[in-house]
Amino acid sequence: MKPGVGPGDDFEAVVGSLRARVRTAPQVHLLLGSGLGGLERVVEVEEDVPFGEVPGMPSAGVPGHAGHFIFGRCEGVPVLVQCGRLHFYEGHPPWVISAPSRIAAALGVKSSVITAAVGGVDRHLRPGDLMVIDDHINLLARTPLPPPAQAADANPFPDMSAPYDAGLQKAAVEQAARLGVRLVRGTYTALLGPSFETPAEIRMVERMGGDVVGMSVVPEVLTLRARGVRVLGFAMVTNMACGVGMAPGAEGADAISHDEVLEVGNRAGAVLERVIRGMLAGGALSG
């Protein structure tokens, strides 16, 4: 078998080659979505591995997603920082989407912090708000989990009654309070993209109980929970979703662009970085 992340590939060879490149096994996985690039600048870098150097993984292809792994220390904690992610809307198969999180789990991380830029559906939210993800709704119509017969390193039927760890959520809220950072809680809804949602689709999400919308997060959470990793999710509200706050069809109503997402995400990301660094320094993520 050749080294790779696909069905029939030697996945252990991939993990072994990465393990051989680092001196200290990572304890915490940090997945940096749009706007969180600043956090990688404070990591004491031991090894930097582009996605494209991992057999079977493509380079990242979406602006704002750098597409590499950083092994090192942040606030003294051994971390695996995933800078950027891969999306179903890019046309990748499930085993490619799940590969970064699967690699993190195989390298022994105990907890994972997943971040993402989102559109606000709850009308109390505003661009720049930070949300701890309590739960999610999967409208991707697909899964990154392998068929049961191929699930050698995962539970193909993971319990999802509490996908986001309650203890980590509590620690996040407490750390935010210490820093004077406003942190709300809510439900993330995943849609396929890459188009932004229509007003009718947002009304549907609102009636289903979704507070924010995005095009990621859920595949990583499923992958990690199937392998026993504790997950903490943060959503950064970069824009209000289409139809929220203005009448659809009004002049200039809800025109959403990826550039806007990146701009607001950078500002909100700087605040979220303080929360994550505080949790690392206090041992909340590695304990």
Side-chain angles (χ1 to χ4, degrees):
M1 291 188 295
K2 69 181 190 306
V5 299
D9 289 342
D10 188 350
F11 179 70
E12 286 303 316
V14 173
V15 175
S17 67
L18 291 172
R19 189 178 286 120
R21 295 175 67 168
V22 297
R23 294 185 297 274
T24 306
Q27 297 178 12
V28 179
H29 172 228
L30 304 175
L31 197 171
L32 308 184
S34 301
L36 264 294
L39 189 60
E40 65 182 277
R41 292 193 289 270
V42 300
V43 176
E44 299 172 28
V45 179
E46 182 177 318
E47 190 73 22
D48 192 324
V49 182
F51 285 177
E53 288 187 9
V54 178
M57 277 187 62
S59 301
V62 178
H65 291 268
H68 60 117
F69 297 110
I70 292 177
F71 293 87
R73 290 180 178 270
C74 186
E75 301 297 336
V77 178
V79 295
L80 166 54
V81 183
Q82 179 185 331
C83 306
R85 53 164 49 95
L86 302 166
H87 304 79
F88 274 123
Y89 66 68
E90 296 176 78
H92 300 307
W95 54 86
V96 167
I97 299 298
S98 64
S101 298
R102 187 183 177 200
I103 287 169
L107 289 171
V109 301
K110 302 303 180 186
S111 61
S112 175
V113 179
I114 296 179
T115 69
V118 300
V121 175
D122 186 307
R123 295 169 191 273
H124 295 96
L125 295 173
R126 291 294 179 267
D129 281 350
L130 300 176
M131 189 185 88
V132 171
I133 303 175
D134 274 333
D135 205 344
H136 68 233
I137 301 170
N138 185 5
L139 298 181
L140 295 171
R142 59 200 66 194
T143 177
L145 297 178
Q150 300 174 15
D153 65 331
N155 175 5
F157 306 107
D159 173 34
M160 296 300 287
S161 58
Y164 301 89
D165 190 88
L168 294 180
Q169 289 181 57
K170 181 174 182 291
V173 171
E174 291 172 350
Q175 180 61 38
R178 283 192 287 270
L179 295 173
V181 173
R182 178 175 179 262
L183 203 59
V184 299
R185 305 172 76 124
T187 297
Y188 178 101
T189 305
L191 288 89
L192 184 59
S195 59
F196 290 107
E197 302 75 24
T198 69
E201 289 167 340
I202 292 303
R203 291 196 298 273
M204 173 191 71
V205 169
E206 189 173 23
R207 289 166 184 165
M208 294 175 71
D211 297 298
V212 298
V213 289
M215 304 171 192
S216 59
V217 172
V218 171
E220 291 107 357
V221 174
L222 290 172
T223 300
L224 292 161
R225 291 303 304 134
R227 291 161 176 82
V229 178
R230 301 168 71 197
V231 175
L232 173 65
F234 287 110
M236 302 179 298
V237 180
T238 55
N239 57 276
M240 298 310 294
C242 193
V244 177
M246 294 183 70
E251 183 178 353
D254 307 308
I256 302 169
S257 72
H258 190 63
D259 288 341
E260 175 191 0
V261 168
L262 295 178
E263 179 184 351
V264 181
N266 286 331
R267 296 200 300 267
V271 179
L272 181 53
E273 287 163 16
R274 295 169 56 212
V275 176
I276 295 173
R277 291 180 67 182
M279 293 183 70
L280 285 167
L285 293 169
S286 55

